Every structure is written in C-alpha cells, then in structure tokens.
Amino acid sequence: MNSFVNKIISALAIATTSVFASVDPEMEGMEVVSRDDGTFLVGSPTFYFDRLIGAGGIHSESELWTPRKLHYRLLFNRMSVLPSWNPIETPSIWMKTGNELGDMIYQDFLTDAADRPDNRTPILEGGFRTPLFHGFWATARMFQDDHYCNFRGYRVAKTKESFSLFGENWPLFSSGYGGLGYTNDFINASVLAGMEYIWLFTETSRWIPVLYKPRVEARADFWNFSTTLVYENAEYRDDSKKEQGERHEVNGSIVYSCGEKCRQGMLQLSAGLAFRFLDDDGTVYTGLKNDRVLWPFLEMRFKPMSQLKFDVMFGVNDRDWLVQDSIEYQVPALEKMNITVGAKNISGTRLNPIADTYEFFDGDTVSLTADGRMNLLQGYVRFEDTLSTFLSFGLQGSFWAEHGAETFDVKKFVDDGDFTARHGDVGRINSWIKGVTGEFWLNLWYKEMFKFTALTGFERIDGNQKRFEVNPAEFFVAFNADWLIKRSFRISHSIRYRSDAEWNLRSRDPLVVKGDWFWDVTFEQRFPKYGISLAGTLIQVLGDEVIETPNGGYSRFRFVCTAKKAF
C-alpha cells in the first residue's frame, strides 16, 4: 500500500510540468493504444482488451454490444472500429505512412547481418473524397497496418500466397474500397465496394485468415431513419491443413431516432433492428445457430427535470435478451459546482447477442454462449468544480458488483504453431465479483493555446480472479497536454503509467503484462489558407517492447506521418 501511495505522490509531483492531449492515433480505431484511463492491452489492430477503470464488470468494452456500435465491424465476437468503412466526411486527399524504429532498411547500413534484429513493419494509407457535384461525391481508400505482425511464419503457413493488398509482411488486416455517395438536405447515402484481408482472433486463441472478396456496404440516412446493408463474401482457408470454406453473409440495421422536437421533450424514444443472415459452405471455423439473428431493440430517455434523467436500452429475440439502464441526478449546489450521483445496470444472457454461437476446432464444437445470465450493478458519485477561468478539478468514486460474468472454461491447451490454443466453452462465474474505484483529475488551460490534464485512478476487485480472462490494472497515472501556437502549430503529448495486468485463461501459465511508463506525442503544422496539414506522431517512445496479449504481436516504438489537403 505504501509503495502504491508513493508512486501516486511522485507522479502527481511530475504533473506540475506535464499535461490532456489529443495525440493522433496511428489509424482510425486505434485510439486504445494511447488511452490512459484504464486497462488497454493491444495484441493487433483488430484485437485488444479495452476497459475503463470505472466501467464496472470484468469484460472489455469491445465485447459489449450497444446501439452506438451499429457501424462498428463485428470481428468474431467483438465490436471494432477498425477496419473502418466509414466514409471520410471532409472533401480531401490524404496519405499516411510510418514504420517501427529499427527497420531493416536502416540496419543494413548500421549492423552486421548476424546482429540485425527482426524486420520492422510499416503502416500505409491513402485516399480521397471529392467535393460535391450536384450532390454527388466519390471516395476511395486503401489502408493497412503492418504493426504487431511479427510471427510471420505462422501466417505464411496458413496462407502460402501473399495475404494483403500490398507488401509481403502478411499484416493482420489490409483493406481497400471505393464508391459513390449523394448528400443533400434530406438524405446522405453511399455505396462502397472493395476487398479486405483480415486475421480474426477467436475464442480458442487462434488466428483465422479471412478474405472478403467482395465486400459491399450501403448506407442511407434520411429524415429520422438510418439504414445500413452489407454483403460479404468471406473466403476461409488454412493451407497447412488444406482446408477451405466460404461464408456469404448479409448484415445490417435500420434505426428510427428521436427527432429534434422529440429530443426537446421529456420522453425520447428510438427503436431499431440489427440482423445477420449466413450461408456457409466448406470449412468455416465458426457458426451461427439457425444461420441468422434478428435483434430488435428499443432506447428510451425520460427526463422529468433538467437535473434528472433515466436511460434504458432493451433488446430481445428468440435466443437472448440484454438490458442496459441507468439513472443520473445532478445535485443542485454552488455556482460552477457539479455534483452528480448515478446508478447503472447491465443484465442479459449475452454481452454480444449478434455474434456467432459456435466455434469449430479440431473436431471439437466450442460453445460461445453460456447458460443463465449476468447482472452488473454500479453506483457512482462524481464531483467537478471550476475554481477560476483557467483551473478546474474533479473526482469520481464508484462501487460495482457483478454476478454471472462471462468467462471461458478451459478443458485443455494445445500447441498451434508458434502459439498456444485452448479447448473449452464459454461459461459463467456464478459468484459475486465486487469492485471499488476512485479517480481524480486536474485541468489547466489558457485560452485556446494551452490545455493540461493530470489524471489518476485506482480500482480494487474482489472475486475469483483466477477465472477472470484478464485481471485489470489496479491504478494508472496520466499527464496530457495540448499546445496550439498561432492556431496553426499543434503539439500534443501524453505520458502515463499503468500498473501490472494479467491474462489468466489463454495460455498454460498466466501472462503478466508488467506496468510501465508510456509516452506518445504528435506534432502538426496547419496551413489554413491552403487547407493543408502535415502531422507526425511518435508512439510508445517510452516503455519496453512487449507482447500485451497472448498470441499477440510486439508493441514497439514507431512513428506515423500524415499529409492531408482539404478541398
């Protein structure tokens, strides 16, 4: 306990010279790499454990389905922004490139062949969106992130031929699309088509290669409706076992949202339907019961007074149900003082009711659903106060309890090439898990030129931790800063410390991810007159090169450069 207090005190002392930052992510959807307010462990651009320290429960955010994620990608049983097919909103042309430090192109000149490290890998992106022409516009984008793709031999054995749009690194995803759209005051619609290479990380801890050829996504937002329709022809393969299969999938959603007048009223309602229809042929490594899922849901906000609000989301179908509700009250207090008390609940039979229900592994059928239900209850108090025109601070405390948390009941571990896989079924922890959290933050600012945040938090969890997929970090400290000089030159940086986290169930021995300091920084020069911006980001300047997830890749010091011209 004393060592914990000493670390917090010493870190807060540093905060007097440090700072809240908006460090640019290396790619849209990879903001988790620079997150500082919880446990964020990245194994690849498409698989990570992401959990806020005050979120409650032991699951990661990407495991939980919500209506806010209707445009996210379903990667096996997790919701992911990346690979994002959200059309870039601003008419522009852009290019992005970068690399991990220590690439072979430099080592060739600096070291003898015997002393050279493993090859380092790049990041590539390029695209455009045209200005409107009578309401019509066109867009195209190619993007892939080769970071975290060590253990190349494993992937080469699975797909003998090159498995990306560009290069020979066998990256964990490589995506490209092009399409047309139409936008006016009534409708915003688009149709995109392309192809994508991706490696899915499954519940058995295997990497499965999938080629979407083609992938087509259509969207239309009009009046108070939002619709999405996707067709995917997915090709599965494992050349080492001479296995092949195909999945033809149609998925999407339709949502009715509360209109402007409705949002100004006491009661706000929205409703929608998410759906998936599958047709599998050959060896496909996962399955969905009845080859379809229909997921109707309803959202409601009741606000009888300006300080009090109730939020409810409820979804149900023939297999599952899920409820997420909360109540929040802002306590009238002194001027500029904000005291909020609240409670929330998550209950249901499954965190992600639209995900597949089975996985097939070496003749074994792995159940991805568990009997019974989970129930998460949480209460919290938040206090914020603005002390002057340049200083504010806040704190938050919460207590939560969860029963029936989803876990994985391991039967045995087996070797899978360079990695370790597992047999078993998704199960539940049918006992109470309890947690208490605390957070404190301090904000400083000067007009638009300078912003600073010092943030620290802790969490204590009591329960059967050996059955947790991940034992989250117990505390963190972060200092973030933004400088904007003459409204054209930006410096953003984030320096943070996260304590140890531990994976329990994906390897024969627990994988302890040691606590460490991390530092990311972005420099950006803007030329507003010409609509041009040039940015460079350094990621993981501090910290050891480590593997943060079982069967994941190394997180290394890397840089990313972006050039963008807006029309």
Side-chain angles (χ1 to χ4, degrees):
M1 180 64 182
N2 289 335
S3 61
F4 167 77
V5 173
N6 290 335
K7 288 178 180 178
I8 295 295
I9 292 173
S10 61
L12 286 176
I14 300 174
T16 58
T17 59
S18 302
V19 184
F20 183 75
S22 52
V23 173
D24 294 349
E26 55 192 282
M27 190 167 284
E28 178 189 8
M30 295 195 68
E31 291 80 3
V32 292
V33 173
S34 297
R35 288 290 297 270
D36 51 24
D37 48 354
T39 304
F40 301 93
L41 308 173
V42 183
S44 84
T46 56
F47 176 78
Y48 43 77
F49 181 86
D50 54 328
R51 180 183 179 275
L52 294 171
I53 208 164
I58 60 171
H59 61 272
S60 67
E61 175 61 29
S62 56
E63 294 178 88
L64 178 65
W65 182 91
T66 74
R68 305 284 80 79
K69 301 176 183 178
L70 287 174
H71 286 164
Y72 283 27
R73 300 289 299 277
L74 176 63
L75 304 183
F76 187 61
N77 60 351
R78 293 175 180 255
M79 308 303 297
S80 173
V81 174
L82 201 67
S84 172
W85 278 41
N86 295 322
I88 302 299
E89 294 293 335
T90 306
S92 57
I93 184 171
W94 67 92
M95 183 182 70
K96 177 180 295 185
T97 187
N99 213 324
E100 297 170 332
L101 198 68
D103 188 73
M104 289 289 286
I105 194 171
Y106 311 117
Q107 298 295 332
D108 287 346
F109 298 100
L110 300 177
T111 61
D112 295 330
D115 299 326
R116 291 172 192 162
D118 293 337
N119 184 40
R120 301 301 193 247
T121 52
I123 186 172
L124 295 168
E125 179 178 346
F128 70 87
R129 172 167 169 164
T130 65
L132 293 180
F133 179 75
H134 298 293
F136 291 95
W137 49 269
T139 188
R141 184 185 181 195
M142 190 287 288
F143 56 116
Q144 70 180 50
D145 189 348
D146 294 24
H147 300 157
Y148 299 92
C149 73
N150 46 294
F151 302 107
R152 177 176 175 272
Y154 173 89
R155 293 190 300 283
V156 172
K158 298 286 186 181
T159 59
K160 304 289 186 186
E161 301 174 356
S162 179
F163 203 70
S164 65
L165 294 172
F166 180 83
E168 299 293 332
N169 289 316
W170 270 255
L172 291 163
F173 91 90
S174 179
S175 186
Y177 64 76
L180 299 173
Y182 180 78
T183 302
N184 62 18
D185 293 337
F186 176 73
I187 189 171
N188 182 22
S190 63
V191 178
L192 307 177
M195 61 185 295
E196 182 173 87
Y197 299 85
I198 194 167
W199 293 78
L200 300 180
F201 193 64
T202 70
E203 201 65 43
T204 59
S205 297
R206 294 179 298 161
W207 290 103
I208 294 178
V210 184
L211 169 60
Y212 295 107
K213 184 182 180 181
R215 184 178 190 273
V216 182
E217 180 169 337
R219 298 183 186 179
D221 299 328
F222 57 94
W223 194 43
N224 296 325
F225 287 93
S226 179
T227 61
T228 303
L229 184 64
V230 178
Y231 170 73
E232 296 173 335
N233 181 64
E235 300 177 8
Y236 292 75
R237 61 190 293 185
D238 186 341
D239 291 345
S240 65
K241 298 180 180 180
K242 298 181 179 180
E243 296 174 342
Q244 287 186 330
E246 282 193 359
R247 166 173 289 182
H248 306 281
E249 176 171 347
V250 175
N251 63 68
S253 62
I254 180 169
V255 180
Y256 171 79
S257 300
C258 190
E260 183 176 349
K261 290 184 178 179
C262 170
R263 289 193 295 269
Q264 295 173 358
M266 184 183 301
L267 181 63
Q268 304 171 22
L269 294 172
S270 63
L273 173 70
F275 56 86
R276 296 178 66 208
F277 296 95
L278 311 182
D279 181 18
D280 293 341
D281 182 33
T283 303
V284 176
Y285 301 98
T286 64
L288 178 64
K289 187 176 181 181
N290 299 328
D291 291 329
R292 56 106 179 120
V293 58
L294 297 171
W295 182 248
F297 60 90
L298 174 70
E299 288 187 286
M300 180 184 72
R301 168 168 288 184
F302 179 57
K303 198 170 183 179
M305 61 181 70
S306 59
Q307 298 92 353
L308 179 65
K309 64 180 180 180
F310 301 83
D311 288 308
V312 178
M313 192 292 297
F314 177 68
V316 63
N317 64 11
D318 57 339
R319 289 198 294 265
D320 295 297
W321 60 271
L322 179 65
V323 176
Q324 302 173 57
D325 55 15
S326 65
I327 178 173
E328 190 171 88
Y329 178 63
Q330 291 186 343
V331 181
L334 299 175
E335 186 179 359
K336 297 183 180 180
M337 187 179 295
N338 185 358
I339 300 175
T340 303
V341 296
K344 74 174 186 179
N345 165 69
I346 301 176
S347 300
T349 55
R350 200 176 184 201
L351 290 172
N352 191 342
I354 68 169
D356 285 0
T357 52
Y358 305 105
E359 181 182 348
F360 309 109
F361 182 24
D362 287 349
D364 184 21
T365 299
V366 177
S367 175
L368 304 178
T369 62
D371 295 333
R373 67 172 192 176
M374 61 83 68
N375 193 28
L376 169 63
L377 302 170
Q378 184 176 24
Y380 60 89
V381 178
R382 182 170 61 248
F383 167 78
E384 295 178 280
D385 193 11
T386 302
L387 301 179
S388 68
T389 57
F390 61 88
L391 175 64
S392 69
F393 76 96
L395 55 89
Q396 176 171 298
S398 73
F399 170 82
W400 60 267
E402 181 178 22
H403 188 276
E406 289 186 7
T407 187
F408 192 84
D409 294 327
V410 181
K411 295 179 181 177
K412 65 177 180 178
F413 291 102
V414 295
D415 293 328
D416 181 33
D418 295 323
F419 300 132
T420 298
R422 61 184 183 179
H423 288 263
D425 298 293
V426 171
R428 295 200 183 279
I429 303 176
N430 289 312
S431 59
W432 283 102
I433 305 167
K434 305 178 184 67
V436 59
T437 72
E439 296 173 81
F440 172 81
W441 58 92
L442 176 71
N443 298 316
L444 291 169
W445 64 91
Y446 177 71
K447 297 181 179 179
E448 296 180 355
M449 192 174 72
F450 175 73
K451 290 189 295 184
F452 163 82
T453 293
L455 176 67
T456 184
F458 74 91
E459 181 169 34
R460 176 65 182 174
I461 299 177
D462 182 28
N464 188 359
Q465 296 189 6
K466 291 184 178 180
R467 295 195 65 198
F468 296 2
E469 184 86 88
V470 176
N471 291 339
E474 289 191 347
F475 69 91
F476 70 88
V477 179
F479 315 106
N480 304 314
D482 286 320
W483 290 268
L484 184 59
I485 302 170
K486 294 186 177 181
R487 298 186 177 182
S488 62
F489 185 68
R490 174 174 66 96
I491 304 173
S492 299
H493 87 86
S494 169
I495 183 169
R496 58 199 182 276
Y497 179 86
R498 184 208 67 237
S499 64
D500 293 359
E502 182 175 299
W503 292 82
N504 294 314
L505 304 176
R506 287 189 179 266
S507 54
R508 292 182 176 90
D509 298 313
L511 172 65
V512 178
V513 185
K514 300 297 293 183
D516 207 343
W517 285 95
F518 303 90
W519 179 36
D520 303 334
V521 60
T522 293
F523 303 91
E524 181 186 19
Q525 177 65 61
R526 304 169 184 171
F527 302 91
K529 181 178 178 180
Y530 304 102
I532 295 174
S533 65
L534 304 173
T537 298
L538 302 176
I539 298 173
Q540 197 163 320
V541 180
L542 300 178
D544 294 333
E545 295 183 352
V546 298
I547 292 177
E548 296 181 345
T549 71
N551 298 352
Y554 280 95
S555 179
R556 293 187 167 114
F557 176 24
R558 51 201 183 271
F559 66 90
V560 179
C561 301
T562 304
K564 183 175 183 179
K565 169 68 170 81
F567 300 124

